[in-house]
Each structure stands twice: as structure tokens, then as C-alpha cells.
Amino acid sequence: MDLLRWLFEAQIPVGGTALLLREVLGNVFGLASALGGMRRRVWAWPVGIVGNLLLLTVFLGNVFGAAAPATLWGQAGRQIMFIAVAVFGWIRWRQGKRDADSHGVALVPRWAGGRARVALIAALLLGTGLLTPLFSLLGSYPPVWADAWTFVGSLLATFGMAKGWTEFWLIWVAVDVVGVPLLFSAGYYASGFMYLFYGVFTLVGFFVWMRAQKREAQAPPGYTHDDGAPVTAEVR
């Protein structure tokens, strides 16, 4: 109990303000999960779930008795959705690793395809439009549409990662473009700086997956790459 109380109350002084330790730790776990995802490692999913749980307690504001800057229902709700989709992705990638005997690399990236791209864009726009009034009623921090955008975009990006679609990195870019100014304006500076870093990281991840997709699609069966991992079967 003492450890939990310390975790919920601990803060890191920065200048004239302080950052919640849970917010910093949650983003560190999130970054580790993103690194694992870029390398297509199954452990990226459980690591990300730990970060989601920590950030859930942060964005719920004073629900947990913490001196959080503001309540962001979209940011809090997306942590729950992250966990649900992460369980799906964890199972899917584990199955892909077993089937392909891939030595830790869970799948070969692939393009989502034209119809899936249209569906993703439509879902992002429609979901933002539908959730904005709901989040407004719940009292989410303005501009509320930005909170809804980051919620829906994050859900779609995580689903795209679970499916092995290379485009999921670009959805994260769209989330970061809106999420960074929202988090800074709401006073979540640790998350804001991490999102700013993610914006650059996701672009790198996109090109890493695109290069891996092209390389592994052209490689003959049984070919082993420089990192020691053989070409894997595509997870669908």
C-alpha cells in the first residue's frame, strides 16, 4: 500500500512546476512499446499495456486524488481502448510468431489497401464528429474535437499495428499533430513532449516498416536478414 501511495503521489519538480511521476513512467513505457513495435517484437504489447494503465490514472484527473492539471476524457478513454486492442494485437502477433518460427519478429508489414485506407479515414472523421458532443457533455478540456480526434486516431493506429498495416504509422502522425498542442494547453507537459518526440519517431517507424516490407517481400523463402531473423509469414 505504501508503494502504491508513493506512486500516486510522487511528483518530479521541474522549474516552477512539477510533473506526475505516473505520467512520466507511463510515457516511458509507451516509448518502449513503440520501439518494440518498430522492431516487430511481441513484447511491445504487454509493455504498452503497463503504460496505458499508468496514463489512465493520470488523465482521469482528480478521480484518483491526484493534482492533475485537467480531466481529458478522450485521453483517459483511449487508454482503455488501447488495452483492449493491445490484447488483440498481442494474441495476433504471438500467433504469427509461432506460425512463422520468426525468432521474435512477429509479422511482415503490408499495405492496408485502397478500401481499408478509405475506411480508416472515414472512421477517423466520423468518429471525431460523433464523439465531440459526447466529450463536451462529459466536460473534456477544450477544444473538445481535438480530444475526440486523438481518441479515435489512437484507436485506429493501434488496430492498424495489430493488423500489420504499414500505414498505421501515418495515423499516429495525424494524432500527434493535434495531440501535442492539446496536451501542452491542458498542462500535461511530460505527455506533450513525448508526443512531440513520437511525431518524429513515427515517421522513422513508417520508413522502417516500408523498407522491411519491400525487403522481405522480395526475399526467397528461408532467407535470413542481417538481424538474424528469417523472413516471416504474413499475418492476416
Side-chain angles (χ1 to χ4, degrees):
M1 292 299 297
D2 289 339
L3 178 61
L4 285 177
R5 185 178 299 109
W6 171 81
L7 179 62
F8 273 78
E9 297 176 356
Q11 299 186 16
I12 303 174
V14 178
T17 184
L19 302 176
L20 292 174
L21 177 62
R22 285 174 290 129
E23 183 182 3
V24 175
L25 288 177
N27 281 291
V28 169
F29 275 96
L31 175 59
S33 176
L35 288 169
M38 186 170 67
R39 292 186 56 81
R40 293 169 286 150
R41 305 300 181 183
V42 176
W43 56 257
W45 296 105
V47 168
I49 289 174
V50 174
N52 298 146
L53 289 172
L54 288 169
L55 290 175
L56 174 62
T57 69
V58 172
F59 291 121
L60 285 177
N62 292 323
V63 172
F64 283 88
T71 299
L72 292 175
W73 288 104
Q75 293 289 334
R78 79 182 190 135
Q79 306 305 320
I80 298 175
M81 297 305 297
F82 277 162
I83 294 171
V85 179
V87 171
F88 165 73
W90 192 357
I91 295 172
R92 191 178 182 86
W93 281 32
R94 279 178 59 86
Q95 182 64 47
K97 177 183 173 183
R98 267 198 314 269
D99 292 347
D101 190 23
S102 56
H103 298 280
V105 178
L107 79 165
V108 174
R110 61 191 174 96
W111 296 117
R115 287 200 296 183
R117 290 171 189 165
V118 171
L120 288 170
I121 294 172
L124 178 58
L125 296 176
L126 182 61
T128 299
L130 292 175
L131 288 179
T132 296
L134 174 60
F135 287 172
S136 295
L137 289 174
L138 292 172
S140 196
Y141 191 84
V144 182
W145 71 265
D147 199 18
W149 174 277
T150 58
F151 174 84
V152 178
S154 300
L155 175 61
L156 294 174
T158 307
F159 176 74
M161 177 179 168
K163 296 284 287 183
W165 292 340
T166 304
E167 291 93 337
F168 93 87
W169 293 104
L170 298 180
I171 302 176
W172 275 125
V173 173
V175 169
D176 294 335
V177 167
V178 174
V180 168
L182 173 66
L183 290 167
F184 277 128
S185 66
Y188 289 102
Y189 300 110
S191 295
F193 278 114
M194 287 302 298
Y195 270 53
L196 190 61
F197 176 78
Y198 285 156
V200 177
F201 180 84
T202 50
L203 283 176
V204 175
F206 172 72
F207 288 109
V208 168
W209 270 43
M210 187 170 61
R211 186 171 62 247
Q213 175 181 336
K214 181 178 180 181
R215 179 186 63 196
E216 296 181 12
Q218 296 175 346
Y223 173 77
T224 302
H225 298 307
D226 293 338
D227 59 3
V231 175
T232 62
E234 183 174 317
V235 177
R236 294 185 180 277

